[in-house]
């Protein structure tokens, strides 16, 4: 298993993120797309987030990442979208004409967790750990 280790933790937390450009403008091509990829790599490397797989499309980005347990998905996205947005405007001043409000990314994002253990596998393990009592979903071992 590809577990990661912290000072007091062992974890494997994976997220699939999708986030889009504001108004779905197709601006993530050529140098802008390459710069966006570079900025995302730099930002997430600083927070020990590993990119397992990713695609920069013309108007959105798909990423499968492994993140430490001390970072919430909302915090991950806040950091990467905020930093990359300002740096892209610095590097490509023409983008300011199209994005007059200084917002490069759309407000929301898609996030789903990924891993080997399914909900059914966890439930099955917990069911066989004790003698089953139908009326209780959270038990104390006797």
């Amino acid at each position: 298993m590809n577990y990661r280790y912290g000072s007091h933790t062992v974890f494997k937390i994976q997220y699939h993120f999708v986030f889009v450009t504001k108004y779905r403008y197709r601006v993530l091509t050529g140098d802008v797309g390459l710069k966006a990829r570079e900025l995302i790599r730099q930002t997430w490397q600083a927070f020990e987030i590993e990119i397992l797989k990713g695609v920069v499309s013309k108007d959105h980005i798909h990423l499968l990442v492994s993140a430490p347990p001390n970072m919430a998905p909302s915090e991950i996205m806040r950091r990467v979208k905020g930093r990359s947005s300002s740096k892209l405007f610095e590097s490509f001043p023409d983008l300011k004409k199209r994005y007059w409000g200084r917002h490069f990314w759309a407000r929301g994002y898609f996030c789903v967790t990924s891993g080997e253990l399914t909900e059914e596998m966890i439930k099955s393990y917990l069911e066989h750990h004790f003698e089953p009592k139908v009326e209780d979903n959270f038990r104390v071992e006797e």
Side-chain angles (χ1 to χ4, degrees), residues 14-68:
Q14 295 179 347
Y15 299 112
H16 174 203
F17 286 111
V18 181
F19 49 106
V20 302
T21 59
K22 190 149 182 107
Y23 312 118
R24 295 292 295 240
Y25 287 152
R26 297 170 165 260
V27 295
L28 296 173
T29 58
D31 290 341
V32 177
L34 292 171
K35 184 69 172 178
R37 182 180 68 175
E38 177 189 330
L39 291 167
I40 291 167
R41 280 183 172 156
Q42 289 173 359
T43 303
W44 284 357
Q45 187 176 26
F47 295 101
E48 297 179 2
I49 298 168
E50 292 180 12
I51 299 173
L52 304 175
K53 196 79 167 174
V55 175
V56 177
S57 296
K58 293 176 182 175
D59 64 352
H60 66 282
I61 294 180
H62 279 273
L63 287 163
L64 178 63
V65 301
S66 173

Side-chain angles (χ1 to χ4, degrees), residues 1-15 47-50 65-71 116:
M1 299 257 177
N2 297 329
Y3 290 116
R4 293 178 60 192
Y5 298 87
S7 58
H8 301 284
T9 58
V10 178
F11 62 93
K12 184 172 186 178
I13 301 171
Q14 295 179 347
Y15 299 112
F47 295 101
E48 297 179 2
I49 298 168
E50 292 180 12
V65 301
S66 173
N70 63 337
M71 291 205 66
E116 282 88 33

Side-chain angles (χ1 to χ4, degrees), residues 76-139:
I76 292 169
M77 290 308 297
R78 183 183 72 79
R79 290 180 183 271
V80 78
K81 286 169 75 174
R83 182 174 186 274
S84 63
S85 179
S86 62
K87 295 288 186 183
L88 284 169
F89 284 131
E90 282 178 22
S91 299
F92 303 97
D94 288 348
L95 289 175
K96 292 178 189 174
K97 294 174 189 169
R98 183 163 260 199
Y99 295 104
W100 50 268
R102 303 274 303 163
H103 296 282
F104 184 81
W105 302 107
R107 287 179 67 181
Y109 60 92
F110 170 81
C111 178
V112 66
T113 57
S114 169
E116 282 88 33
L117 294 179
T118 65
E119 183 179 346
E120 287 303 315
M121 293 166 73
I122 294 168
K123 284 181 180 175
S124 175
Y125 170 79
L126 294 173
E127 282 301 316
H128 294 96
H129 195 73
F130 307 108
E131 281 298 314
K133 291 182 183 174
V134 178
E135 73 283 351
D136 193 3
N137 285 333
F138 185 39
R139 299 175 295 214

